[in-house]
Every structure is written in structure tokens, then in C-alpha cells.
Amino acid sequence: ALSGGFGVLFVRAIGGADMPVVICVLNTCSGFAGVFAGLMVSNRLLLIAGSFVGASGAILSYIMCAAMNRTLVDVLIGGFGESGGGEMEE
């Protein structure tokens, strides 16, 4: 329940074009969780598979951010601190 709530709060402020990068970051986190699970149960296959998922997700996230000319921090912080589309001042 706690991790689900964290996931929802993590992606609420992300814009539409930034969502694929956020999905890659979440996949990276799942890969690293697989690495830690493999370490805990001493399973080499889980360790190797988690390493591949985590590393490929991190590389893909970096490439996607470079293609958009944005940093990963800018993508993840997204809409925090922005107003909700109020009226424009003239």
C-alpha cells in the first residue's frame, strides 16, 4: 500500500510528454529491486536479469532525456511549483 501510494504521488505532476521517461525510471527501479532480491536469496539468475533490466532502463532514460534536451531531474520534478492553469495577466 505504501509503495502504491508513493508511485501515485511520484507520477501525478508529470506531463504527458515526460511519461515515457518516468516509465523507464520506474522500470529501472524494478530492475534494481530484482538485483537486491537476487542478493537476498542468493540467486544468480535473478541478479543477472535484474542487472540487465536496471542498466538498460537507466541507459534508455538518459537517452530519452538527451533527446528532449532536458535533465532527468527536470523531467521527474515536472509540474511541481507550477500553477494550475489560472487566468493570464495582461
Side-chain angles (χ1 to χ4, degrees):
L2 182 63
S3 61
F6 175 71
V8 168
L9 291 175
F10 185 66
V11 298
R12 278 189 76 133
I14 306 298
D18 296 335
M19 190 54 69
V21 177
V22 173
I23 291 171
C24 285
V25 170
L26 293 175
N27 284 336
T28 302
C29 293
S30 71
F32 291 144
V35 168
F36 294 132
L39 288 172
M40 292 296 290
V41 298
S42 298
N43 187 341
R44 287 186 181 174
L45 182 62
L46 187 58
L47 185 77
I48 293 169
S51 298
F52 281 136
V53 171
S56 64
I59 292 168
L60 183 61
S61 298
Y62 173 76
I63 292 171
M64 291 173 74
C65 287
M68 293 191 307
N69 285 333
R70 298 183 70 192
T71 64
L72 185 61
V73 174
D74 288 340
V75 170
L76 294 180
I77 291 177
F80 286 118
E82 292 181 6
S83 62
E87 295 180 18
M88 289 181 52
E89 296 181 17
E90 294 182 27

